[in-house]
Amino acid sequence: MFSKTVSYFLVGILCGALVATAVFAGVRSGKAGGQTQTVIKLGHSLDVNHPVHQALLEMQKELA
C-alpha cells in the first residue's frame, strides 16, 4: 500500500503529534500552580423566601 519511507514518515508525524499534545497538556496543567479554584455562579428569578433560594444559601455556606 505505502512504501516503507512513506510509512516511517507517517509514523513520525503521528509520534510527533502525540509528543506535542503531551507536552502541551503538561504545560497547561502546570500553570495552575498545583491548586485550582472553581467558581460556581448560580442565579434564579425566585423570591428570596423561596425554598430554592434558601437551599442555594445553604449550599453556599457548605462550600465556603
Side-chain angles (χ1 to χ4, degrees), residues 40-55:
I40 301 173
K41 294 183 180 183
L42 299 172
H44 61 80
S45 60
L46 303 170
D47 186 64
V48 294
N49 294 322
H50 194 277
V52 170
H53 180 80
Q54 297 300 319

Side-chain angles (χ1 to χ4, degrees), residues 12-28:
I13 292 293
L14 290 174
C15 287
L18 179 64
V19 169
T21 302
V23 168
F24 180 72
V27 168
R28 293 290 298 159

Side-chain angles (χ1 to χ4, degrees), residues 2-18:
F2 292 118
S3 70
K4 211 177 227 187
T5 305
V6 172
S7 295
Y8 284 136
F9 178 74
L10 291 175
V11 168
I13 292 293
L14 290 174
C15 287
L18 179 64

